Amino acid sequence: MNGFTKCSNGHYYKEELPACPYCFSGNKSQEIAEHKKETQLHTESQDDGKTRLVIPKAPSMQANNRTVFGEDVIAELESGKKVTQKEYRSERKLVGWLVTYSFDKMGVDFRLYEGRNVIGRDVECNITVPDKTISGKHATILFKNDKFKIKDELSSHGTFVSDRDIEDETVELHDNDIIRIGETVFKFKIAL
């Protein structure tokens, strides 16, 4: 692919980026591995006695204060090159979201794209969730033929859709379904 690099986990990303924005691997794997070790997900105590989850940013990139679509700059590399929203976006069409307030009171959303979306604790997953009760590869949401389906991937703690354990089933998802994976509760939203 002209202009793209493939990381060790099989993700394609723009050559201009210092590392894979999906898994912190790629051309600078040793440097990224050290950075990853230093910036693991951790919690920080606040002055008000509350604890918040600290999620590190990708190495060598400074995020802009705004999220804007189109050609607007969202990050600047150490080399001075600016990365646009269009360049940073996935090559698959955005079709939905998972929204959770389980580990951040302000809420966190995860994008769902066409095809398979693997959810789990591993960095190789499309959606990586910092929950110790979630398996490495816990569940898969598939968007195919204009339908969303979810399947548990033999996880330890199960996958629940609207309080029903789906076990070995593949279940069709509908807008506003509640999905519980481990101790994390998601609301499923359709984009189309």
Side-chain angles (χ1 to χ4, degrees):
M1 296 180 104
N2 193 14
F4 288 90
T5 300
K6 184 176 180 182
C7 76
S8 59
N9 290 323
H11 301 124
Y12 286 95
Y13 62 95
K14 287 283 197 177
E15 288 177 342
E16 296 88 31
L17 294 175
C20 177
Y22 307 106
C23 65
F24 296 112
S25 66
N27 294 341
K28 296 185 172 184
S29 58
Q30 180 61 34
E31 178 185 325
I32 303 304
E34 290 170 14
H35 175 79
K36 188 175 170 187
K37 185 177 178 183
E38 294 169 5
T39 58
Q40 289 292 319
L41 289 176
H42 64 281
T43 56
E44 244 178 39
S45 295
Q46 302 294 301
D47 294 334
D48 60 5
K50 295 181 180 175
T51 302
R52 74 178 180 99
L53 181 68
V54 176
I55 301 173
K57 295 204 181 332
S60 306
M61 298 179 80
Q62 297 172 342
N64 198 323
N65 289 342
R66 56 200 174 115
T67 301
V68 185
F69 300 105
E71 295 296 323
D72 293 318
V73 174
I74 60 165
E76 189 171 331
L77 306 179
E78 284 178 347
S79 65
K81 178 169 179 358
K82 297 181 185 322
V83 179
T84 64
Q85 176 75 25
K86 188 175 181 181
E87 291 172 321
Y88 196 73
R89 231 182 273 163
S90 171
E91 295 299 316
R92 299 186 295 163
K93 184 176 181 178
L94 176 69
V95 292
W97 293 270
L98 293 177
V99 180
T100 183
Y101 294 89
S102 294
F103 50 85
D104 184 340
K105 69 179 181 176
M106 298 301 286
V108 177
D109 69 314
F110 297 96
R111 295 175 181 180
L112 297 171
Y113 294 97
E114 289 177 311
R116 288 175 13 119
N117 298 271
V118 180
I119 306 165
R121 216 172 55 235
D122 288 349
V123 294
E124 297 171 358
C125 294
N126 304 99
I127 298 172
T128 303
V129 183
D131 178 344
K132 292 179 183 174
T133 61
I134 290 179
S135 298
K137 290 184 180 156
H138 196 102
T140 300
I141 294 178
L142 175 69
F143 179 77
K144 184 177 175 183
N145 299 327
D146 293 329
K147 291 184 181 179
F148 287 91
K149 295 182 180 182
I150 187 169
K151 179 179 186 264
D152 184 77
E153 297 294 345
L154 301 174
S155 65
S156 301
H157 296 282
T159 301
F160 297 81
V161 176
S162 302
D163 289 326
R164 185 172 69 94
D165 189 353
I166 64 171
E167 295 186 58
D168 297 330
E169 298 176 61
T170 299
V171 175
E172 187 172 340
L173 290 173
H174 304 282
D175 198 32
N176 296 318
D177 275 349
I178 302 298
I179 301 167
R180 183 167 54 85
I181 297 175
E183 293 177 358
T184 304
V185 177
F186 296 99
K187 187 169 199 173
F188 170 71
K189 296 298 295 176
I190 296 175
L192 304 172

